[in-house]
Coordinates of all heavy atoms in Angstrom, one line a residue:
M923 N -14.6 12.7 0.2 CA -13.1 12.9 0.1 C -12.7 13.1 -1.3 O -13.2 12.5 -2.2 CB -12.4 11.7 0.7 CG -11.0 11.8 1.0 SD -10.2 10.3 1.6 CE -10.8 10.2 3.3
S924 N -11.7 14.0 -1.5 CA -11.2 14.3 -2.8 C -9.6 14.2 -2.7 O -9.0 14.9 -2.0 CB -11.6 15.6 -3.3 OG -10.9 16.0 -4.4
V925 N -9.1 13.2 -3.5 CA -7.6 13.0 -3.4 C -7.0 13.4 -4.7 O -7.5 13.1 -5.8 CB -7.3 11.5 -3.2 CG1 -5.8 11.2 -3.1 CG2 -8.1 11.0 -1.9
K926 N -5.9 14.2 -4.6 CA -5.2 14.6 -5.7 C -3.7 14.5 -5.5 O -3.2 14.6 -4.4 CB -5.5 16.1 -6.0 CG -6.9 16.3 -6.5 CD -7.2 17.8 -6.8 CE -8.6 18.0 -7.1 NZ -9.2 19.2 -6.6
V927 N -3.0 14.3 -6.6 CA -1.5 14.3 -6.6 C -1.0 15.4 -7.5 O -1.5 15.5 -8.7 CB -1.0 12.9 -7.1 CG1 0.5 13.0 -7.4 CG2 -1.3 11.8 -6.1
D928 N -0.1 16.2 -7.0 CA 0.5 17.2 -7.9 C 1.6 16.5 -8.6 O 2.7 16.3 -8.1 CB 1.0 18.4 -7.0 CG 1.7 19.5 -7.9 OD1 2.0 19.2 -9.0 OD2 1.9 20.6 -7.3
R929 N 1.4 16.2 -9.8 CA 2.3 15.3 -10.6 C 3.6 16.1 -10.9 O 4.6 15.5 -11.2 CB 1.7 14.7 -11.8 CG 0.7 13.6 -11.4 CD -0.1 13.0 -12.5 NE 0.5 12.6 -13.7 CZ 0.6 11.3 -14.0 NH1 0.1 10.3 -13.3 NH2 1.2 10.9 -15.2
D930 N 3.6 17.4 -10.9 CA 4.8 18.2 -11.2 C 5.8 18.0 -10.0 O 7.0 18.0 -10.2 CB 4.5 19.7 -11.4 CG 3.7 19.9 -12.6 OD1 3.8 19.1 -13.6 OD2 3.0 21.0 -12.7
E931 N 5.2 17.8 -8.8 CA 6.1 17.7 -7.7 C 6.5 16.2 -7.4 O 7.5 15.9 -6.7 CB 5.4 18.2 -6.4 CG 5.0 19.7 -6.5 CD 6.3 20.6 -6.5 OE1 7.3 20.2 -5.8 OE2 6.3 21.6 -7.2
C932 N 5.6 15.3 -7.8 CA 5.8 13.9 -7.5 C 7.2 13.4 -8.0 O 7.5 13.7 -9.2 CB 4.7 13.1 -8.1 SG 4.9 11.3 -8.0
I933 N 7.9 12.6 -7.2 CA 9.2 12.1 -7.6 C 9.1 10.6 -7.9 O 10.1 9.9 -8.2 CB 10.3 12.3 -6.5 CG1 9.9 11.7 -5.2 CG2 10.5 13.8 -6.4 CD1 11.0 11.7 -4.1
G934 N 7.9 10.0 -7.9 CA 7.7 8.6 -8.3 C 8.3 7.6 -7.4 O 8.6 6.5 -7.8
C935 N 8.3 7.9 -6.1 CA 8.9 7.0 -5.2 C 8.1 5.7 -4.9 O 8.6 4.7 -4.5 CB 9.2 7.7 -3.9 SG 7.7 8.1 -3.0
G936 N 6.8 5.8 -5.2 CA 5.9 4.7 -5.0 C 5.4 4.4 -3.6 O 4.7 3.5 -3.4
V937 N 5.8 5.3 -2.7 CA 5.3 5.1 -1.3 C 3.8 5.1 -1.2 O 3.2 4.2 -0.5 CB 5.9 6.2 -0.3 CG1 5.2 6.2 1.0 CG2 7.4 5.9 -0.1
C938 N 3.1 6.0 -1.9 CA 1.7 6.1 -1.8 C 1.0 4.8 -2.2 O 0.1 4.3 -1.6 CB 1.2 7.3 -2.5 SG 1.7 7.4 -4.3
A939 N 1.5 4.3 -3.3 CA 0.9 3.1 -3.9 C 1.2 1.9 -3.0 O 0.4 0.9 -2.9 CB 1.5 2.8 -5.3
Q940 N 2.3 1.9 -2.3 CA 2.5 0.8 -1.3 C 1.6 0.9 -0.1 O 1.1 -0.1 0.3 CB 4.0 0.9 -0.8 CG 5.0 0.2 -1.7 CD 6.4 0.4 -1.2 OE1 6.7 0.8 -0.1 NE2 7.4 0.3 -2.1
I941 N 1.4 2.1 0.4 CA 0.6 2.3 1.6 C -0.9 2.2 1.3 O -1.7 1.6 2.0 CB 0.9 3.7 2.2 CG1 2.3 3.7 2.8 CG2 -0.2 4.0 3.3 CD1 2.7 5.1 3.3
C942 N -1.3 2.6 0.1 CA -2.7 2.7 -0.2 C -3.0 2.4 -1.7 O -3.3 3.2 -2.5 CB -3.1 4.2 0.1 SG -4.9 4.4 0.1
P943 N -2.8 1.1 -2.0 CA -2.9 0.7 -3.4 C -4.4 0.8 -4.0 O -4.5 0.7 -5.2 CB -2.5 -0.8 -3.4 CG -2.6 -1.2 -2.0 CD -2.4 0.0 -1.1
S944 N -5.4 0.9 -3.1 CA -6.7 1.1 -3.6 C -6.9 2.5 -4.2 O -7.9 2.7 -5.0 CB -7.7 0.8 -2.5 OG -7.5 1.7 -1.4
V945 N -6.1 3.4 -3.8 CA -6.3 4.8 -4.3 C -5.2 5.3 -5.2 O -5.4 6.0 -6.2 CB -6.4 5.8 -3.1 CG1 -6.4 7.2 -3.5 CG2 -7.5 5.4 -2.2
F946 N -3.9 4.8 -5.0 CA -2.8 5.2 -5.8 C -2.2 4.1 -6.6 O -2.1 3.0 -6.1 CB -1.7 5.8 -4.9 CG -2.2 7.0 -4.0 CD1 -2.6 6.7 -2.8 CD2 -2.3 8.3 -4.5 CE1 -3.1 7.8 -1.9 CE2 -2.7 9.3 -3.7 CZ -3.1 9.0 -2.4
E947 N -1.7 4.5 -7.8 CA -1.0 3.5 -8.6 C 0.3 4.3 -9.1 O 0.2 5.5 -9.4 CB -1.9 3.2 -9.8 CG -1.5 1.9 -10.5 CD -2.6 1.6 -11.5 OE1 -2.5 2.2 -12.6 OE2 -3.5 0.8 -11.2
L948 N 1.3 3.5 -9.3 CA 2.5 4.2 -9.9 C 2.4 4.0 -11.4 O 2.4 2.9 -11.9 CB 3.8 3.6 -9.3 CG 5.1 4.3 -9.6 CD1 5.0 5.8 -9.0 CD2 6.3 3.6 -9.1
D949 N 2.4 5.2 -12.1 CA 2.4 5.2 -13.5 C 3.8 5.0 -14.0 O 4.6 5.9 -14.0 CB 1.8 6.5 -14.0 CG 1.7 6.6 -15.5 OD1 2.4 5.9 -16.2 OD2 1.0 7.5 -16.0
E950 N 4.1 3.7 -14.4 CA 5.5 3.4 -14.6 C 6.1 4.2 -15.8 O 7.3 4.6 -15.8 CB 5.7 1.9 -15.0 CG 5.1 0.9 -13.9 CD 6.2 0.7 -12.8 OE1 7.3 1.2 -12.9 OE2 5.8 0.0 -11.8
D951 N 5.3 4.4 -16.8 CA 5.7 5.2 -18.0 C 6.1 6.6 -17.6 O 7.2 7.1 -18.1 CB 4.7 5.2 -19.1 CG 4.5 3.8 -19.7 OD1 5.4 3.0 -19.6 OD2 3.4 3.5 -20.3
A952 N 5.3 7.2 -16.9 CA 5.5 8.6 -16.5 C 6.4 8.8 -15.3 O 7.0 9.8 -15.1 CB 4.2 9.3 -16.2
G953 N 6.6 7.7 -14.5 CA 7.4 7.7 -13.3 C 6.7 8.6 -12.3 O 7.4 9.3 -11.5
K954 N 5.4 8.6 -12.3 CA 4.7 9.5 -11.3 C 3.5 8.7 -10.8 O 3.0 7.7 -11.4 CB 4.1 10.7 -12.1 CG 5.1 11.5 -12.9 CD 5.7 12.6 -12.0 CE 6.7 13.4 -12.8 NZ 7.3 14.4 -12.1
A955 N 3.0 9.1 -9.6 CA 1.8 8.5 -9.1 C 0.6 8.9 -9.8 O 0.5 10.0 -10.4 CB 1.7 8.8 -7.6
K956 N -0.4 8.0 -9.8 CA -1.7 8.3 -10.4 C -2.8 8.0 -9.4 O -2.7 7.0 -8.7 CB -1.8 7.4 -11.6 CG -3.0 7.6 -12.5 CD -2.8 6.9 -13.8 CE -3.0 5.4 -13.8 NZ -2.9 4.8 -15.1
V957 N -3.8 8.8 -9.3 CA -4.9 8.6 -8.4 C -5.9 7.7 -9.2 O -6.5 8.2 -10.2 CB -5.6 9.9 -7.9 CG1 -6.8 9.6 -7.1 CG2 -4.6 10.7 -7.2
I958 N -6.2 6.5 -8.7 CA -7.1 5.7 -9.4 C -8.5 5.7 -8.7 O -9.5 5.1 -9.3 CB -6.6 4.2 -9.5 CG1 -6.2 3.7 -8.2 CG2 -5.4 4.2 -10.5 CD1 -5.8 2.2 -8.2
R959 N -8.5 6.2 -7.5 CA -9.8 6.3 -6.8 C -9.9 7.7 -6.1 O -9.6 7.8 -4.9 CB -9.9 5.1 -5.8 CG -11.3 4.9 -5.2 CD -11.3 3.6 -4.4 NE -12.6 3.3 -3.9 CZ -13.1 3.7 -2.7 NH1 -12.3 4.4 -1.9 NH2 -14.3 3.4 -2.4
P960 N -10.3 8.7 -6.9 CA -10.2 10.1 -6.3 C -11.1 10.3 -5.1 O -10.9 11.2 -4.3 CB -10.7 10.9 -7.5 CG -10.7 10.1 -8.7 CD -10.7 8.7 -8.3
E961 N -12.2 9.4 -5.0 CA -13.0 9.6 -3.8 C -12.3 9.1 -2.5 O -12.8 9.3 -1.4 CB -14.4 8.9 -4.0 CG -14.3 7.4 -4.2 CD -14.2 7.0 -5.6 OE1 -13.4 7.7 -6.4 OE2 -14.7 5.9 -6.0
G962 N -11.2 8.4 -2.7 CA -10.3 8.1 -1.6 C -10.7 7.0 -0.7 O -11.7 6.3 -1.0
S963 N -10.0 6.8 0.4 CA -10.3 5.9 1.5 C -9.4 6.3 2.6 O -8.5 7.1 2.5 CB -10.1 4.4 1.0 OG -8.8 4.1 1.0
E964 N -9.6 5.7 3.8 CA -8.9 6.1 4.9 C -7.3 6.1 4.8 O -6.6 7.0 5.3 CB -9.3 5.3 6.2 CG -10.5 5.8 6.8 CD -10.5 7.3 7.0 OE1 -9.6 7.8 7.7 OE2 -11.4 8.0 6.6
C965 N -6.9 5.1 4.0 CA -5.4 5.0 3.9 C -4.8 6.2 3.1 O -3.6 6.4 3.1 CB -5.0 3.6 3.3 SG -5.7 3.3 1.6
A966 N -5.7 6.9 2.4 CA -5.2 8.0 1.6 C -4.5 9.1 2.5 O -3.5 9.7 2.1 CB -6.3 8.6 0.7
R967 N -5.1 9.3 3.7 CA -4.5 10.2 4.6 C -3.1 9.8 5.0 O -2.2 10.6 5.1 CB -5.3 10.3 5.8 CG -6.5 11.3 5.7 CD -7.2 11.3 7.0 NE -8.6 11.1 6.8 CZ -9.4 12.0 6.3 NH1 -9.0 13.1 6.0 NH2 -10.7 11.7 6.1
E968 N -2.9 8.5 5.3 CA -1.6 8.0 5.7 C -0.6 8.2 4.6 O 0.5 8.5 4.8 CB -1.8 6.5 6.1 CG -0.6 6.0 6.9 CD -0.7 4.5 7.1 OE1 -1.8 3.9 7.0 OE2 0.4 3.9 7.2
A969 N -1.1 7.9 3.4 CA -0.2 8.1 2.2 C 0.2 9.5 2.1 O 1.4 9.8 1.8 CB -0.9 7.6 0.9
A970 N -0.7 10.4 2.2 CA -0.4 11.9 2.1 C 0.6 12.3 3.2 O 1.6 13.0 2.9 CB -1.7 12.7 2.3
D971 N 0.5 11.7 4.4 CA 1.4 12.1 5.5 C 2.8 11.5 5.2 O 3.8 12.0 5.7 CB 0.9 11.5 6.8 CG -0.3 12.3 7.4 OD1 -0.5 13.4 6.9 OD2 -1.0 11.8 8.3
S972 N 2.8 10.4 4.4 CA 4.1 9.7 4.2 C 4.8 10.1 2.9 O 5.9 9.8 2.7 CB 3.8 8.2 4.1 OG 3.2 7.7 5.3
C973 N 4.1 10.9 2.1 CA 4.7 11.3 0.8 C 5.9 12.2 1.1 O 5.8 13.2 1.8 CB 3.7 12.1 0.0 SG 4.4 12.8 -1.5
P974 N 7.1 11.9 0.6 CA 8.3 12.6 1.0 C 8.3 14.1 0.5 O 9.1 14.9 1.0 CB 9.5 11.8 0.4 CG 8.8 11.0 -0.7 CD 7.4 10.7 -0.3
V975 N 7.6 14.4 -0.6 CA 7.6 15.7 -1.1 C 6.2 16.5 -0.8 O 6.0 17.6 -1.2 CB 7.9 15.8 -2.6 CG1 9.3 15.4 -2.8 CG2 6.9 15.0 -3.4
G976 N 5.3 15.8 -0.1 CA 4.1 16.4 0.3 C 3.2 16.9 -0.8 O 2.6 17.9 -0.7
C977 N 3.2 16.1 -1.9 CA 2.4 16.5 -3.1 C 1.0 15.9 -3.2 O 0.4 16.0 -4.2 CB 3.2 16.3 -4.3 SG 3.4 14.5 -4.8
I978 N 0.6 15.1 -2.1 CA -0.7 14.6 -2.1 C -1.7 15.4 -1.3 O -1.3 15.8 -0.1 CB -0.7 13.1 -1.5 CG1 0.2 12.2 -2.3 CG2 -2.2 12.6 -1.5 CD1 0.4 10.9 -1.7
S979 N -2.8 15.8 -1.9 CA -3.8 16.6 -1.1 C -5.0 15.7 -0.9 O -5.5 15.0 -1.8 CB -4.1 17.9 -1.8 OG -4.9 17.7 -2.9
V980 N -5.5 15.8 0.3 CA -6.7 15.0 0.7 C -7.7 16.0 1.3 O -7.4 16.6 2.3 CB -6.4 13.9 1.7 CG1 -7.7 13.2 2.2 CG2 -5.4 12.9 1.2
E981 N -8.8 16.2 0.6 CA -9.8 17.2 1.1 C -11.1 16.4 1.4 O -11.4 15.5 0.8 CB -10.1 18.2 0.0 CG -9.0 19.2 -0.1 CD -9.2 20.1 -1.3 OE1 -10.3 20.2 -1.9 OE2 -8.2 20.7 -1.8
E982 N -11.8 16.9 2.4 CA -13.1 16.3 2.8 C -14.1 16.6 1.8 O -14.1 17.7 1.1 CB -13.5 16.9 4.2 CG -12.7 16.3 5.3 CD -12.7 14.7 5.3 OE1 -13.7 14.1 5.0 OE2 -11.6 14.2 5.5
Ligands
LIG1420 S1 4.5 9.2 -2.2 FE1 4.4 11.2 -3.2 S2 6.3 11.4 -4.4 FE2 6.0 9.3 -3.9 S3 5.0 8.4 -5.7 FE3 3.4 9.0 -4.2 S4 2.8 11.1 -4.7 FE4 4.7 10.7 -5.7

């Protein structure tokens, strides 16, 4: 699995980090999400589905 966040699109809402803290972290300084585990985990898909701007991509 390969997880990416398009940081140009991210609005820093923190939903991904709430749903899947093992993969996403909110970079407080930048106000954007950061992928801390690019190899992902199952919750990454749920986070991608829940992102309000759809800027998380999860590839096999
Ligand atoms: S859910 Fe989407 S918009 Fe919100 S912080 Fe995560 S990547 Fe950014």
Side-chain angles (χ1 to χ4, degrees):
M923 192 185 283
S924 169
V925 181
K926 290 181 186 145
V927 169
D928 181 343
R929 284 171 56 112
D930 291 337
E931 298 293 325
C932 173
I933 58 170
C935 69
V937 165
C938 55
Q940 273 173 22
I941 291 175
C942 193
S944 59
V945 175
F946 302 95
E947 199 174 82
L948 194 60
D949 181 341
E950 303 278 355
D951 291 339
K954 307 271 181 180
K956 185 162 77 175
V957 177
I958 53 172
R959 192 171 185 269
E961 63 271 37
S963 76
E964 276 314 303
C965 61
R967 275 181 233 283
E968 194 188 336
D971 288 344
S972 303
C973 174
V975 294
C977 69
I978 300 172
S979 72
V980 176
E981 287 170 17
E982 285 310 317

